[in-house]
Amino acid sequence: SLKKTNTKTKSEEIKIMPMIELTLPKNALSEEKTAELVDRLTQTLLHWEGAPPNSRAAQEISWGYVNLVDVVNVGGKPADKPRYRVVTTVPQGALRNDEVRNGLVADVTKAVIEAEGSEDDPTAAARVWVIIKEVIDGNWGGNGRIFKLKDIAALVHDGDQALGETIAQKRLGSV
């Protein structure tokens, strides 16, 4: 259950729940490197959403999935080098503008290339696809109910419903 507190200010940055899905070929990265990458991708997405890394609530509602595939095809044939797909799923309004989305894509790409141990160059970057999915407000369900942006924002702001509504208004233009 949510508790109401008024310890946060309306000008504080907005924190919302993300989900990350990393798809990569089996054996492209070690199990340890994959785990480190998922953690880094989570922190990166939270950063671009505006969540401080020490927000326990934001960490607890950030989920990551890893899909290991036998082969990735390019042009109908097995790829010569690993290809990576990172799908980020966020509530509508979580990533405010093109600058934020571009920053997220650049940082996610860099994290994948660094985890692989490759040089950060256009050839390596071209092997990483980042897809941003925004879930229309009112279509994110969990715990047997629908969570709107205002609900999610309130949750990660210690249950402050008024702040949640202010955040939703700022991001979406309506509540």
Side-chain angles (χ1 to χ4, degrees), residues 47-122:
H47 164 77
W48 285 105
E49 284 184 324
N54 60 355
S55 171
R56 184 176 175 190
Q59 296 289 329
E60 288 176 353
I61 60 175
S62 300
W63 293 11
Y65 296 88
V66 175
N67 300 310
L68 300 174
V69 297
D70 291 324
V71 66
V72 175
N73 290 308
V74 175
K77 299 188 185 331
D80 58 339
K81 291 187 175 183
R83 300 304 200 266
Y84 304 86
R85 182 182 64 201
V86 180
V87 179
T88 61
T89 305
V90 298
Q92 180 182 9
L95 301 171
R96 298 174 288 294
N97 54 45
D98 286 345
E99 181 181 340
V100 169
R101 288 185 289 276
N102 281 319
L104 171 65
V105 170
D107 285 355
V108 164
T109 301
K110 182 177 180 181
V112 171
I113 297 306
E114 287 179 359
E116 185 185 66
S118 292
E119 294 293 321
D120 187 8
D121 64 47

Side-chain angles (χ1 to χ4, degrees), residues 26-175:
K26 291 178 183 172
N27 303 318
L29 301 176
S30 70
E31 191 173 317
E32 181 180 343
K33 284 282 187 190
T34 301
E36 289 171 4
L37 177 58
V38 171
D39 181 56
R40 184 170 172 190
L41 295 174
T42 301
Q43 302 318 312
T44 299
L45 182 52
L46 288 172
H47 164 77
W48 285 105
E49 284 184 324
N54 60 355
S55 171
R56 184 176 175 190
Q59 296 289 329
E60 288 176 353
I61 60 175
S62 300
W63 293 11
Y65 296 88
V66 175
N67 300 310
L68 300 174
V69 297
D70 291 324
V71 66
V72 175
N73 290 308
V74 175
K77 299 188 185 331
D80 58 339
K81 291 187 175 183
R83 300 304 200 266
Y84 304 86
R85 182 182 64 201
V86 180
V87 179
T88 61
T89 305
V90 298
Q92 180 182 9
L95 301 171
R96 298 174 288 294
N97 54 45
D98 286 345
E99 181 181 340
V100 169
R101 288 185 289 276
N102 281 319
L104 171 65
V105 170
D107 285 355
V108 164
T109 301
K110 182 177 180 181
V112 171
I113 297 306
E114 287 179 359
E116 185 185 66
S118 292
E119 294 293 321
D120 187 8
D121 64 47
T123 303
R127 296 185 291 109
V128 180
W129 283 8
V130 181
I131 300 162
I132 299 170
K133 291 184 179 182
E134 281 192 312
V135 177
I136 296 170
D137 198 39
N139 287 297
W140 195 297
N143 200 27
R145 62 168 281 216
I146 292 293
F147 285 90
K148 290 187 158 204
L149 181 60
K150 67 181 184 176
D151 303 318
I152 298 164
L155 178 69
V156 299
H157 283 82
D158 299 321
D160 188 333
Q161 295 294 327
L163 180 56
E165 288 187 27
T166 299
I167 290 166
Q169 178 69 32
K170 181 177 179 182
R171 292 286 177 98
L172 300 172
S174 63
V175 186

Side-chain angles (χ1 to χ4, degrees), residues 6-13 157 160 163 167:
N6 289 314
T7 59
K8 307 287 181 178
T9 65
K10 289 183 180 182
S11 64
E12 274 195 276
E13 198 51 52
H157 283 82
D160 188 333
L163 180 56
I167 290 166

